[in-house]
Amino acid sequence: MSRHPKLVLILGHMGFASSDGEAIALAHHFENMMLETSVGAFHAINEAYRRLGARKLVFGSEGPAHHPAVERRKIELLNAPQSDFDLICGGNIKPFLSLNGGRHHGV
């Protein structure tokens, strides 16, 4: 990751279950790594938010296997400011979806 600073890695499911802690530590270490929240346990998402901040998290629904409202509720329960909620639930992923001409403005 450090050899490719322009590459942004979004790790799905925050690594998943027992690897959540490792994923958080790696995202803390690498500026160009983000964590996607679907299927993540609330305590792990909360820890990631506390340690990494909103700019390193990307909302995921895991649909259709999971109900998007359940996954969204985990983000709501962070009791984050609206600006952080907006980053997690769309703002952070928007540059990767060509919604702004495909230009990425950093992590």
Side-chain angles (χ1 to χ4, degrees):
M1 298 271 308
S2 57
R3 290 192 297 170
H4 303 283
K6 291 185 180 184
L7 171 77
V8 176
L9 174 71
I10 301 172
L11 182 61
H13 311 303
M14 292 181 50
F16 193 66
S18 61
S19 61
D20 289 344
E22 287 178 73
I24 293 168
L26 284 170
H28 185 4
H29 181 74
F30 293 108
E31 180 63 29
N32 55 338
M33 182 176 178
M34 301 173 81
L35 304 177
E36 181 266 333
T37 63
S38 71
V39 191
F42 172 74
H43 73 277
I45 295 170
N46 189 49
E47 178 69 11
Y49 175 66
R50 188 182 69 72
R51 288 188 56 199
L52 305 172
R55 291 203 171 273
K56 300 283 261 176
L57 300 178
V58 175
F59 170 78
S61 68
E62 189 58 20
H66 286 212
H67 196 289
V70 173
E71 297 301 321
R72 180 184 166 111
R73 185 68 180 133
K74 294 175 191 177
I75 307 305
E76 292 170 346
L77 288 170
L78 295 173
N79 293 318
Q82 186 66 45
S83 58
D84 283 359
F85 179 86
D86 292 345
L87 283 171
I88 296 167
C89 290
N92 290 334
I93 197 68
K94 187 177 178 181
F96 302 101
L97 299 176
S98 297
L99 299 176
N100 67 349
R103 292 180 301 278
H104 176 63
H105 299 290
V107 193

